[in-house]
């Protein structure tokens, strides 16, 4: 079967894959059935070679060579209408159609220069058009648009199922959206309609007093719940014992007395580094910072305790002549007896006199 007649009648040629498809799926290879199959197919996928000039979308003002050319509609709009309604309505005799078409290899636009009766926004995508160009009525190109007139275009028809289904679904969605915007809820499902209007009836309205009673009952319920929670918390606390801040926990304890031990003011043993130096690295630190960090454990000795009051004042006395603290204190009872047994007088005599003490001329801390 030869497909050469398509070149003279529609200005197209079929690629080998297109010829194989038609021979496999068309009813027959007659011209009539071949044309019908092409009209109902998407020529962008069938494999069609067009005789139209290339790059028509960027072509300079000119005229198409005389001949016939098959194209397929992509979209038709009436540009005299608002953008939202250009694909749905036409402006009657004042319309101006803008047609987007393809020849199977390229996409370009055509404009209704003179009203064409068979053209309209009702034509779905996939519709086939046959363009004519003759010497008497050439098909002109202006501003990358083909200028259509009744003498240069013929509507062949066709039905590409997939393109038509998509086009109808899109139109249905747009129609429902427009219907909702124009008439709103009146056109919605009756099961989801708005409730009927009811006039206000003061007799059926709830009374204020009754509402106050409800509020008071709710408050009483909350108070009851709060007191129960408080009781539960108190019982739990009693089971666990007295808290840390309760006074009763200290009632059975005696008065705390502070006692100073005689060893509290003993001089700390000097380190290896000499006076003014801290411990060496072997002792666990250096300088003042090293000593401060080991207040609780100085070289493995005993832990320092709080000062405790002792029975004597021997720890406060340091004699100049080398006598022990007990020997230095032995002299004080005699002087106290000379003063008449008065402890205060003896104290003054012992610490303020010239015998010795902090300020006396004898041995003591302040003695020269």
């Amino acid at each position: 079967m030869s497909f050469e007649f398509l070149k003279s009648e529609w200005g197209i040629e079929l690629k080998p894959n297109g010829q194989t498809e038609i021979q496999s799926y068309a009813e027959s290879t007659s011209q009539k059935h071949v044309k019908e199959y092409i009209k109902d197919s998407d020529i962008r996928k069938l494999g069609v070679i067009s005789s139209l000039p290339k790059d028509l979308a960027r072509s300079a003002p000119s005229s198409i060579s005389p001949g016939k050319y098959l194209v397929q509609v992509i979209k038709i709009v009436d540009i005299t209408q608002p953008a939202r309604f250009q694909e749905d309505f036409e402006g009657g005799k004042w319309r101006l159609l803008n047609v987007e078409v393809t020849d199977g290899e390229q996409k370009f636009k055509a404009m209704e220069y003179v009203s064409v009766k068979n053209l309209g926004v009702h034509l779905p995508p996939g519709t086939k058009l046959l363009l004519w160009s003759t010497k008497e009525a050439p098909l002109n190109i202006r501003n990358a648009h083909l200028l259509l007139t009744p003498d240069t275009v013929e509507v062949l028809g066709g039905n590409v199922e997939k393109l038509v289904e998509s086009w109808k679904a899109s139109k249905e969605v747009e129609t429902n959206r427009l219907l909702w915007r124009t008439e709103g809820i009146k056109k919605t499902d009756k099961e989801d309609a708005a409730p009927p209007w009811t006039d206000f009836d003061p007799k059926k309205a709830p009374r204020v007093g009754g509402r106050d009673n409800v509020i008071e009952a709710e408050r009483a319920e909350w108070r009851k719940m709060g007191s129960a929670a408080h009781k539960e918390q108190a019982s739990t606390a009693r089971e666990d014992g007295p808290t840390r801040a309760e006074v009763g926990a200290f009632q059975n304890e005696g008065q705390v007395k502070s006692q100073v031990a005689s060893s509290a003011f003993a001089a700390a043993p000097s380190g290896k580094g000499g006076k003014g130096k801290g411990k060496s690295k072997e002792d666990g630190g250096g300088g003042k910072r090293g000593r401060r960090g080991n207040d609780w454990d100085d070289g493995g000795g005993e832990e320092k305790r709080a000062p405790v009051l002792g029975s004597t004042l021997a720890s406060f006395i340091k004699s100049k002549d080398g006598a022990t603290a007990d020997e230095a204190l032995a002299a004080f009872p005699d002087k106290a007896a000379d003063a008449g047994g008065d402890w205060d007088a003896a104290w003054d005599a012992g610490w303020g006199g010239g015998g010795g003490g902090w300020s006396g001329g004898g041995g003591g801390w302040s003695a020269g």
Side-chain angles (χ1 to χ4, degrees):
M1 171 62 187
S2 177
F3 297 96
E4 295 179 357
F5 71 94
L6 296 174
K7 176 75 171 178
S8 58
E9 295 191 15
W10 284 355
I12 61 173
E13 296 180 5
L14 291 176
K15 296 180 180 179
N17 60 328
Q19 296 180 11
T20 303
E21 181 179 342
I22 291 176
Q23 291 174 355
S24 301
Y25 298 103
E27 294 185 13
S28 67
T29 56
S30 63
Q31 294 186 8
K32 178 181 177 181
H33 290 154
V34 170
K35 290 181 179 180
E36 290 294 333
Y37 188 89
I38 294 175
K39 287 193 293 184
D40 294 339
S41 301
D42 189 350
I43 61 176
R44 294 173 295 183
K45 300 179 180 180
L46 183 61
V48 172
I49 302 174
S50 178
S51 300
L52 279 170
K54 308 302 179 185
D55 296 329
L56 283 177
R58 294 185 293 270
S59 177
S62 59
S63 298
I64 302 297
S65 302
K68 300 177 182 180
Y69 308 96
L70 180 71
V71 296
Q72 177 177 293
V73 172
I74 297 176
K75 183 171 65 174
I76 300 177
V77 297
D78 183 3
I79 60 177
T80 63
Q81 299 296 317
R84 186 178 299 173
F85 310 118
Q86 288 182 353
E87 297 185 48
D88 302 313
F89 303 102
E90 296 179 1
K93 64 179 181 179
W94 306 110
R95 75 177 189 180
L96 182 59
L97 299 180
N98 193 350
V99 186
E100 188 174 350
V101 295
T102 179
D103 62 358
E105 296 178 310
Q106 62 179 330
K107 182 171 64 176
F108 52 93
K109 292 183 178 181
M111 182 171 291
E112 187 183 31
Y113 187 64
V114 178
S115 180
V116 180
K117 184 178 179 180
N118 294 331
L119 279 179
V121 296
H122 62 281
L123 296 177
T127 302
K128 305 300 187 290
L129 305 179
L130 184 61
L131 304 180
W132 297 67
S133 182
T134 60
K135 293 181 180 180
E136 294 78 11
L139 184 59
N140 298 318
I141 303 175
R142 298 291 185 274
N143 296 327
H145 284 73
L146 298 179
L147 303 183
L148 302 180
T149 63
D151 296 330
T152 59
V153 61
E154 177 185 356
V155 179
L156 299 179
N159 183 23
V160 183
E161 292 183 1
K162 291 184 178 180
L163 297 179
V164 172
E165 289 176 1
S166 177
W167 176 71
K168 287 183 178 180
S170 177
K171 286 181 108 26
E172 184 178 357
V173 170
E174 191 63 29
T175 301
N176 293 336
R177 185 180 304 171
L178 178 62
L179 183 62
W180 175 264
R181 291 178 179 176
T182 54
E183 300 190 21
I185 202 170
K186 294 180 180 179
K187 297 295 182 180
T188 58
D189 190 2
K190 295 182 179 180
E191 296 180 359
D192 194 22
W197 172 262
T198 303
D199 294 332
F200 175 72
D201 188 359
K203 295 181 179 180
K204 297 180 180 180
R207 297 181 180 180
V208 178
R211 182 173 179 81
D212 291 341
N213 295 335
V214 173
I215 294 175
E216 288 298 331
E218 291 181 356
R219 289 177 178 174
E221 184 67 21
W222 278 104
R223 292 192 194 100
K224 183 178 179 181
M225 294 173 61
S227 61
H230 179 70
K231 291 180 180 178
E232 182 179 356
Q233 184 177 4
S235 63
T236 304
R238 285 194 296 270
E239 293 176 0
D240 296 340
T243 59
R244 184 176 181 181
E246 290 182 357
V247 178
F250 303 97
Q251 290 179 353
N252 297 326
E253 296 183 4
Q255 185 177 2
V256 179
K257 297 181 180 180
S258 176
Q259 297 179 353
V260 181
S262 60
S263 61
F265 298 96
S270 61
K272 297 180 180 180
K275 184 177 182 181
K277 295 183 180 180
K279 297 180 181 180
S280 62
K281 293 183 180 179
E282 292 78 2
D283 296 337
K288 296 181 179 180
R289 187 173 300 174
R291 293 197 299 272
R292 184 182 303 171
N294 293 275
D295 285 344
W296 293 98
D297 187 7
D298 191 4
E302 293 185 357
E303 178 182 352
K304 291 183 178 180
R305 300 180 181 276
V308 182
L309 179 61
S311 58
T312 66
L313 296 174
S315 59
F316 290 94
I317 298 175
K318 181 180 179 183
S319 61
K320 184 175 182 182
D321 54 1
T324 63
D326 295 333
E327 294 174 353
L329 288 176
F332 288 103
D334 297 337
K335 293 183 179 181
D338 296 339
D342 189 359
W343 172 255
D344 294 335
W347 181 273
D348 295 337
W351 292 98
W358 283 328
S359 303
W365 282 331
S366 303

